[in-house]
Amino acid sequence: MTSTQASDVGADVAAQTEMYRRMRLIRQFEDRASRLYRVNQIPGFLHLSIGQEATAVGACWPLDDRDVVTSTHRGHGHCIAKGLDVTGMFAELMGRSTGTCRGRGGSMHIADPRKGIFGANGIVAAGLPIATGAATAAQLRSRGGVVVAFFGDGAVAQGMFHEAVNLAAVWRLPIIFFCENNHYAEFSAAKDQHRATLADRARGYGIDFAHVDGNDVLAVADTVSGLVRDLRAGGGPVLVEAETYRWHGHYEGDPERYREPAELTEWKMRDPLTVLAARLAPDRVAEIDREVDAVIDAAVEQAQAADEPEPETLHHFVGVPREPVPEPPEPDGEVFRTMDAVREALEHELAADEDVFLAGIDVGAGGNVFGLTRGLAEAYPGRVRDTPISESAIIGAGVGSAMAGLRPVVELMYFDFLGVCLDQLMNQAAKLRFMTGGAVSMPLVVRTQFGAGKSSGSQHSQSLEALLAHIPGLTVVMPSTPADTYGLLRAAIRDPNPVVFVENRLLYGRKGPRPRPGHLVPLGKAAIRREGTDVTLVSYSKLVHECTAVAEQLAQDGISVEVIDLRTIAPLDTETVLRSLAKTGRLVVAHQAVEAFGVGAELAAVAAEHGFWTLDAPVLRVGAAHTPAPYAPSLEREWLPDQERIAAAVRKSVLG
């Protein structure tokens, strides 16, 4: 989609006519959506932007196919202004298979990344970190791409706003943070929500600021066009405040008790369509109105005639199907450490694919808190990036850059910090392929680490894989050996789906044979570490080595233990476990995570449902006690599973 540069729009009747047409299309789309909602033809939440058309059209006016927009839950206008087809949009709102997102997104999540529309978002401010990722991709590609990140005045109170703007300032990204200040954050007046102005905030971040009348599309287009030109030439981020007003409530059905009717009447006198129409010939305005009405009528008719998605397509688009990867031969090279495996895997993929980049706290100049990325920033300038301590921005930048086609590897310094940025994993990375109806892939790796046993305390010791495994769309990997760490990390970086790669820091010094060149380990496949016939013992990460030691110990007592290393937690390789269970008749699961509601519980359920007739004894679990991780060594030893507890569980399973 291309447009006339807005510096000429004051005298360009054709440009003004096209702007009016786009605003009228948004107005009529929203009006018809409102009416369809009232007669139950739109089943979900609906947030309309009637009155705000000038901000969407003006801000998108200078954008082209290189450029990206991120949106809000009030995003229809942004999508239409960036060129999205209204027929598909109506079908999406109605939940039809021909919808923009195949009926998977609805109003709050409507998107088409193929057109640079990275999506409306049901989480306030969540699009802003994603926008920094899209801008990072534009910066690395050096093609002049620009990102416009729309947000409302209410989003300024979110931590993600601060993290995204600060990261953009630090990295000097080509991004316009565009605030549609409609004076209300849901039901609350903006004056009651903030004490600092956006101009003051921009100065605090060290970036430029612009204010514009958001009901004057020519003023908006002129302002944003100048900023876009500067950004294409290498300028840094800008914060724009466009003052406007929404005519409808926060959502359709909102009783609107929080504002006076006179206020709405006053703003309607500044209707952005009327303001622009006054500059055009009345006959031409009337002609456009008729043309747009016909387009809307036809779009609604086509959308209403479309089918709903078939029930058998429910599981479509959760992830990209993986190409099968054969199990590699056993490594037989010189001894190397797990920390070497991490670094070498990252270095190999950086060298092999220019779309790979690393980002995280101290991963660049500092070389990572454990020295795992030392030297990579110098070897790959611009592609190994230090970030502020801003976990939501880090993960969000990974999400946005993956949507833009890069292969980011972003680091979450400690697994325990997951709660700080969970939205970007749970509601963004895991869901965006599904919510866009398969229009986007998410080749994102989030590296993190954990490791109890060294008195790290309750906030630096947790094994939280069960939280992530419960989220459809995420792959969770937890390797136990140096060779698997290397092969699984490389496979994760090459995978088109979001992968959380969890290392155990107490294994960084563990040694093992180096794998052969080209070593890749299949995701979602367990490994049998020790053959046995009496009982199946399943584990992963560091505890695999404790389980192997227990198996060797119990062999002296005549108990044959088969040890399975899951390697990938989600998707879970239940086939390998059930095959072993069919042979041994007994199952014990051991993990460092808290025992309740964990991976052991899931495998117990699988065994009961699919392996019941092969069970000769109850499934037993060994995990951490149901308390936060303690600090005192005596308490931590009591809290953690150890070889003695694992051996006792195995004996109980076999001997009763």
Side-chain angles (χ1 to χ4, degrees), residues 157-289:
Q158 284 278 359
M160 285 186 285
F161 166 81
H162 161 73
E163 292 192 24
V165 177
N166 188 57
L167 180 66
V170 170
W171 285 358
R172 196 169 169 75
L173 296 176
I175 183 170
I176 297 170
F177 293 100
F178 193 95
C179 178
E180 294 177 299
N181 183 358
N182 62 23
H183 300 281
Y184 284 95
E186 297 193 357
F187 306 157
S188 301
K191 61 183 176 61
D192 298 328
Q193 299 283 299
H194 314 289
R195 292 296 176 261
T197 67
L198 280 175
D200 291 336
R201 294 175 189 273
R203 282 192 290 271
Y205 293 115
I207 65 175
D208 290 336
F209 173 80
H211 182 276
V212 66
D213 179 357
N215 279 22
D216 183 346
V217 68
L218 301 183
V220 176
D222 187 63
T223 298
V224 175
S225 289
L227 297 175
V228 167
R229 278 196 301 272
D230 291 343
L231 290 174
R232 296 203 199 284
V238 184
L239 182 57
V240 174
E241 181 179 21
E243 289 201 60
T244 184
Y245 199 79
R246 58 171 163 83
W247 292 9
H248 283 216
H250 169 57
Y251 57 88
E252 291 303 280
D254 175 3
E256 299 185 66
R257 297 189 182 94
Y258 48 87
R259 63 180 179 183
E260 296 296 328
E263 181 180 273
L264 176 57
T265 300
E266 181 181 349
W267 275 95
K268 282 188 174 182
M269 294 175 66
R270 298 169 54 192
D271 180 352
L273 275 73
T274 302
V275 170
L276 182 57
R279 303 174 66 102
L280 302 174
D283 290 348
R284 184 63 180 121
V285 170
E287 182 183 2
I288 293 171
D289 290 350

Side-chain angles (χ1 to χ4, degrees), residues 392-446:
S392 288
I394 294 167
I395 307 302
V399 171
S401 57
M403 291 181 75
L406 298 187
R407 293 188 175 273
V409 182
V410 295
E411 181 175 305
L412 180 64
M413 186 180 282
Y414 282 81
F415 204 179
D416 311 71
F417 302 166
L418 175 66
V420 183
C421 57
L422 185 58
D423 173 73
Q424 288 295 326
L425 277 172
M426 176 177 70
N427 283 320
Q428 313 303 328
K431 295 185 171 85
L432 278 166
R433 177 170 174 79
F434 183 82
M435 292 193 304
T436 61
V440 68
S441 60
M442 186 63 61
L444 165 68
V445 174
V446 178

Side-chain angles (χ1 to χ4, degrees), residues 18-83:
E18 175 59 19
M19 286 185 181
Y20 179 81
R21 189 193 68 79
R22 295 183 191 181
M23 289 198 296
R24 178 72 180 181
L25 188 61
I26 295 170
R27 174 70 58 86
Q28 295 307 98
F29 180 93
E30 299 286 60
D31 178 73
R32 185 63 66 88
S34 177
R35 287 187 274 154
L36 291 167
Y37 180 85
R38 289 198 294 270
V39 295
N40 297 318
Q41 291 199 40
I42 293 177
F45 292 119
L46 193 65
H47 307 80
L48 302 181
S49 62
I50 295 176
Q52 300 181 194
E53 296 86 356
T55 55
V57 172
C60 292
W61 184 253
L63 304 184
D64 60 34
D65 292 340
R66 294 171 291 180
D67 304 319
V68 166
V69 299
T70 62
S71 185
T72 69
H73 55 275
R74 201 178 310 284
H76 306 153
H78 309 142
C79 293
I80 294 170
K82 188 66 166 64

Side-chain angles (χ1 to χ4, degrees), residues 491-514:
I493 295 171
R494 295 179 173 215
D495 197 72
N497 301 292
V499 179
V500 182
F501 195 89
V502 187
E503 301 149 13
N504 190 304
R505 60 180 173 270
L506 301 185
L507 291 178
Y508 282 147
R510 189 174 185 90
K511 297 177 181 178
R514 188 186 302 274

